Amino acid sequence: MAFNENTIQRIRLFFQEKDVPFYEKKMFNGICFMVDDKMCCCNHIDKETGEDFLLCRIGEEQYSHALKKDNVIPMEFTGKSMKGYVYVTENGFLKPKDLHYWLQRCLDFNPLAKSSKKK
Protein backbone atom coordinates (compact mmCIF):
# COMPACT_ATOMS: atom_id res chain seq x y z
CA MET A 1 0.00 0.00 0.00
CA ALA A 2 1.52 3.25 -1.14
CA PHE A 3 0.30 6.76 -0.59
CA ASN A 4 1.78 10.22 -0.24
CA GLU A 5 1.73 11.29 3.41
CA ASN A 6 1.98 14.95 2.40
CA THR A 7 -1.13 14.65 0.22
CA ILE A 8 -2.95 12.77 2.98
CA GLN A 9 -2.16 15.57 5.41
CA ARG A 10 -3.36 18.21 2.93
CA ILE A 11 -6.67 16.34 2.55
CA ARG A 12 -7.03 16.03 6.34
CA LEU A 13 -6.52 19.78 6.74
CA PHE A 14 -9.12 20.54 4.08
CA PHE A 15 -11.76 18.45 5.84
CA GLN A 16 -10.81 19.87 9.23
CA GLU A 17 -11.00 23.45 7.96
CA LYS A 18 -14.44 22.70 6.49
CA ASP A 19 -15.44 21.08 9.81
CA VAL A 20 -16.42 17.91 7.97
CA PRO A 21 -16.46 14.73 10.08
CA PHE A 22 -14.44 12.02 8.33
CA TYR A 23 -12.42 8.91 8.96
CA GLU A 24 -9.72 7.16 6.99
CA LYS A 25 -9.84 3.65 5.61
CA LYS A 26 -7.29 1.58 3.69
CA MET A 27 -8.79 0.93 0.24
CA PHE A 28 -7.79 0.98 -3.43
CA ASN A 29 -4.13 0.46 -2.50
CA GLY A 30 -4.12 3.73 -0.57
CA ILE A 31 -6.02 5.76 1.99
CA CYS A 32 -9.67 6.67 1.46
CA PHE A 33 -11.49 9.43 3.24
CA MET A 34 -14.96 8.44 4.34
CA VAL A 35 -17.65 11.07 4.91
CA ASP A 36 -21.07 9.96 6.20
CA ASP A 37 -19.82 6.36 5.90
CA LYS A 38 -19.34 6.83 2.13
CA MET A 39 -16.09 6.92 0.17
CA CYS A 40 -15.44 10.56 -0.67
CA CYS A 41 -11.89 10.55 -2.07
CA CYS A 42 -8.68 8.53 -1.90
CA ASN A 43 -4.96 8.95 -2.37
CA HIS A 44 -2.48 6.40 -3.65
CA ILE A 45 0.72 6.12 -5.61
CA ASP A 46 0.14 4.60 -9.06
CA LYS A 47 2.03 1.31 -9.39
CA GLU A 48 2.94 1.84 -13.04
CA THR A 49 4.05 5.46 -13.02
CA GLY A 50 4.93 6.11 -9.36
CA GLU A 51 2.77 9.23 -9.60
CA ASP A 52 0.63 10.59 -6.78
CA PHE A 53 -3.07 10.11 -7.69
CA LEU A 54 -6.17 11.60 -6.13
CA LEU A 55 -9.26 9.44 -6.64
CA CYS A 56 -12.36 11.62 -6.69
CA ARG A 57 -15.91 10.37 -6.37
CA ILE A 58 -17.80 13.09 -8.20
CA GLY A 59 -20.82 11.33 -9.68
CA GLU A 60 -21.89 10.55 -13.21
CA GLU A 61 -23.20 14.05 -13.96
CA GLN A 62 -19.76 15.60 -13.42
CA TYR A 63 -17.80 12.68 -14.87
CA SER A 64 -17.64 13.65 -18.57
CA HIS A 65 -17.03 17.31 -17.72
CA ALA A 66 -14.14 16.37 -15.43
CA LEU A 67 -12.50 14.18 -18.09
CA LYS A 68 -12.15 17.25 -20.33
CA LYS A 69 -9.80 18.85 -17.81
CA ASP A 70 -6.04 18.49 -17.89
CA ASN A 71 -4.52 15.92 -15.53
CA VAL A 72 -7.74 13.91 -15.21
CA ILE A 73 -8.11 10.29 -16.30
CA PRO A 74 -10.91 7.77 -15.86
CA MET A 75 -10.75 5.38 -12.94
CA GLU A 76 -10.50 1.86 -14.29
CA PHE A 77 -11.26 -1.12 -12.13
CA THR A 78 -10.70 -4.59 -13.55
CA GLY A 79 -10.26 -3.06 -17.00
CA LYS A 80 -13.56 -1.17 -16.97
CA SER A 81 -14.06 2.58 -16.48
CA MET A 82 -16.11 3.43 -13.43
CA LYS A 83 -18.32 6.38 -14.29
CA GLY A 84 -18.55 8.86 -11.48
CA TYR A 85 -14.95 8.30 -10.36
CA VAL A 86 -11.86 9.99 -11.79
CA TYR A 87 -8.18 10.09 -11.01
CA VAL A 88 -6.51 13.46 -10.85
CA THR A 89 -2.79 13.16 -11.46
CA GLU A 90 -0.44 15.03 -9.15
CA ASN A 91 0.02 18.01 -11.49
CA GLY A 92 -3.72 18.55 -11.22
CA PHE A 93 -3.69 19.13 -7.45
CA LEU A 94 -0.24 20.47 -6.58
CA LYS A 95 -1.61 23.97 -5.98
CA PRO A 96 -3.83 24.30 -2.90
CA LYS A 97 -6.65 25.89 -4.94
CA ASP A 98 -6.63 22.91 -7.32
CA LEU A 99 -6.72 20.37 -4.51
CA HIS A 100 -9.55 22.31 -2.85
CA TYR A 101 -11.46 22.39 -6.15
CA TRP A 102 -11.40 18.58 -6.44
CA LEU A 103 -12.10 17.91 -2.79
CA GLN A 104 -15.06 20.28 -2.91
CA ARG A 105 -16.44 18.40 -5.95
CA CYS A 106 -16.20 15.21 -3.87
CA LEU A 107 -17.96 16.82 -0.91
CA ASP A 108 -20.67 18.26 -3.16
CA PHE A 109 -21.46 14.79 -4.50
CA ASN A 110 -21.23 12.99 -1.17
CA PRO A 111 -24.85 13.60 -0.04
CA LEU A 112 -26.05 12.10 -3.35
CA ALA A 113 -23.74 9.07 -3.20
CA LYS A 114 -25.09 5.69 -2.28
CA SER A 115 -23.64 4.10 0.80
CA SER A 116 -22.05 0.67 0.52
CA LYS A 117 -23.99 -2.12 2.11
CA LYS A 118 -22.50 -3.02 5.47
CA LYS A 119 -21.51 -6.62 5.96
Side-chain angles (χ1 to χ4, degrees), residues 1-86:
M1 179 171 318
F3 55 90
N4 183 318
E5 185 58 49
N6 182 51
T7 300
I8 295 295
Q9 187 58 30
R10 291 173 64 205
I11 296 169
R12 284 180 190 132
L13 287 173
F14 174 84
F15 286 131
Q16 290 166 352
E17 288 172 1
K18 294 276 184 177
D19 200 27
V20 173
F22 70 94
Y23 62 93
E24 298 172 27
K25 187 173 184 176
K26 294 178 183 179
M27 286 173 49
F28 298 110
N29 294 320
I31 302 293
C32 284
F33 288 80
M34 309 293 288
V35 175
D36 294 329
D37 289 324
K38 297 178 268 188
M39 195 277 289
C40 189
C41 64
C42 301
N43 174 249
H44 79 270
I45 304 295
D46 184 65
K47 290 178 188 177
E48 292 179 21
T49 65
E51 192 172 7
D52 192 10
F53 275 12
L54 178 67
L55 171 59
C56 297
R57 185 179 189 187
I58 57 172
E60 290 189 35
E61 286 186 26
Q62 295 296 316
Y63 179 76
S64 58
H65 175 70
L67 289 177
K68 294 175 186 173
K69 294 186 170 285
D70 291 337
N71 305 302
V72 178
I73 57 176
M75 177 199 180
E76 291 190 0
F77 192 67
T78 63
K80 183 179 172 187
S81 292
M82 292 187 63
K83 290 187 177 176
Y85 297 81
V86 295

